[in-house]
Amino acid sequence: GNRYDSLQLRILEIRATGVIIDQSASLLKRANEIGWTDFSEGMRLLDAAEDDIERILSLSKDITAIEDDAEETVSISEEIAPRTEKPRNAMNQGSREAELGSLREAENLFRIAKIRALDIINHWENAEKAIQEARDAISGLSGSDLERMQALMEAADDAMNDESPGDALIIAQAIPGHVSNLGEAMDAAIIKVDDAAEVLSHTDGLDTQIWEDMLANAKDALKEGDGSMARGLADSIIREI
């Protein structure tokens, strides 16, 4: 009971300074309800309440340093990408929570602001460069290959619009490699279609109309940039003959 009264007084004094300390008060209330019938549990809850009080008091001393550190990082990110908003929004929300006495929430928001700002500082310029390189890489594509690569480009652009340049960088850097693989696949498809045409030319006496139609479709697929379709049709011609 003496310890409960002492902690209750501390909480009232802290609240008088404008700091929100609801979790400590909740633990203290539970200790008061339980401790008279379960002494060990009541004392454990009082220990937890006191620990929480100490954390809040320590945080109240550190919150200004945490805010200043986050502010410096956000300011640097705004110099790199002036139109970004998320880091500054988190800073503003954190400042409001600090003014209201919600120190835990303020600390969390300041740290979120810093994480977002660091993502911009570390990745924004590289992401912009990688996206441009990816656009250049897909400029010669057509058909379904182009559609697949455009979907990746849109994902990279969406990540930049969401102010997540780290994600955008990962996506954009992968695109030139995909394009290179597509080029190799297209070369292989052209060779396979030529092989099918050669095999078809040696079918004297057979009804070749269906194979000729398939070969025409394969050549159309090549023109449309669909190497997979062209190769599949050519393989079927060679296999059936």
Side-chain angles (χ1 to χ4, degrees):
N2 290 335
R3 191 172 177 206
Y4 169 83
D5 291 340
S6 176
L7 291 174
Q8 180 74 358
L9 180 59
R10 286 191 71 189
I11 287 176
L12 292 174
E13 291 171 345
I14 294 169
R15 278 179 166 168
T17 66
V19 174
I20 294 177
I21 195 165
D22 290 344
Q23 184 170 335
S24 302
S26 177
L27 289 167
L28 199 63
K29 180 180 178 181
R30 288 175 57 199
N32 188 44
E33 293 170 350
I34 295 172
W36 308 110
T37 55
D38 188 340
F39 177 78
S40 296
E41 178 64 11
M43 293 300 287
R44 188 193 68 79
L45 290 169
L46 290 177
D47 288 339
E50 187 168 25
D51 288 344
D52 192 68
I53 290 171
E54 296 303 329
R55 282 195 295 270
I56 288 292
L57 292 176
S58 176
L59 182 57
S60 66
K61 297 175 183 177
D62 296 339
I63 195 68
T64 300
I66 295 171
E67 181 177 9
D68 290 344
D69 180 51
E71 173 62 35
E72 181 180 359
T73 309
V74 170
S75 295
I76 294 173
S77 74
E78 289 173 335
E79 293 175 4
I80 295 172
R83 295 184 180 180
T84 53
E85 298 178 351
K86 285 189 172 182
R88 178 57 57 189
N89 288 342
M91 281 298 303
N92 292 339
Q93 292 171 12
S95 296
R96 284 195 293 270
E97 293 296 336
E99 291 172 0
L100 294 172
S102 300
L103 301 185
R104 282 197 186 87
E105 185 62 23
E107 179 194 21
N108 184 51
L109 287 164
F110 290 146
R111 295 195 187 283
I112 289 173
K114 182 174 181 178
I115 290 170
R116 291 174 178 173
L118 285 173
D119 190 19
I120 291 169
I121 292 169
N122 294 330
H123 301 124
W124 191 271
E125 292 178 345
N126 289 334
E128 287 184 325
K129 181 180 178 181
I131 286 173
Q132 184 56 53
E133 291 174 350
R135 286 200 176 95
D136 293 340
I138 70 172
S139 60
L141 297 179
S142 61
S144 60
D145 290 340
L146 177 60
E147 291 176 1
R148 288 195 291 271
M149 293 303 101
Q150 283 179 329
L152 287 176
M153 284 299 312
E154 289 176 4
D157 289 334
D158 288 344
M160 288 295 279
N161 292 333
D162 193 45
E163 300 179 16
S164 300
D167 293 340
L169 179 61
I170 292 171
I171 297 169
Q173 284 181 328
I175 291 174
H178 288 310
V179 173
S180 177
N181 291 336
L182 288 173
E184 294 174 3
M186 183 60 71
D187 291 341
I190 293 171
I191 293 172
K192 185 63 68 173
V193 171
D194 289 342
D195 290 345
E198 176 66 18
V199 171
L200 187 56
S201 69
H202 299 290
T203 53
D204 295 341
L206 296 179
D207 182 359
T208 61
Q209 185 59 53
I210 187 170
W211 298 323
E212 289 173 358
D213 290 343
M214 291 171 66
L215 184 61
N217 290 333
K219 291 179 178 179
D220 288 341
L222 286 178
K223 293 177 182 178
E224 295 172 0
D226 194 342
S228 297
M229 175 66 75
R231 182 165 185 167
L233 289 167
D235 280 335
S236 293
I237 293 170
I238 293 170
R239 184 171 57 253
E240 289 180 16
I241 291 175

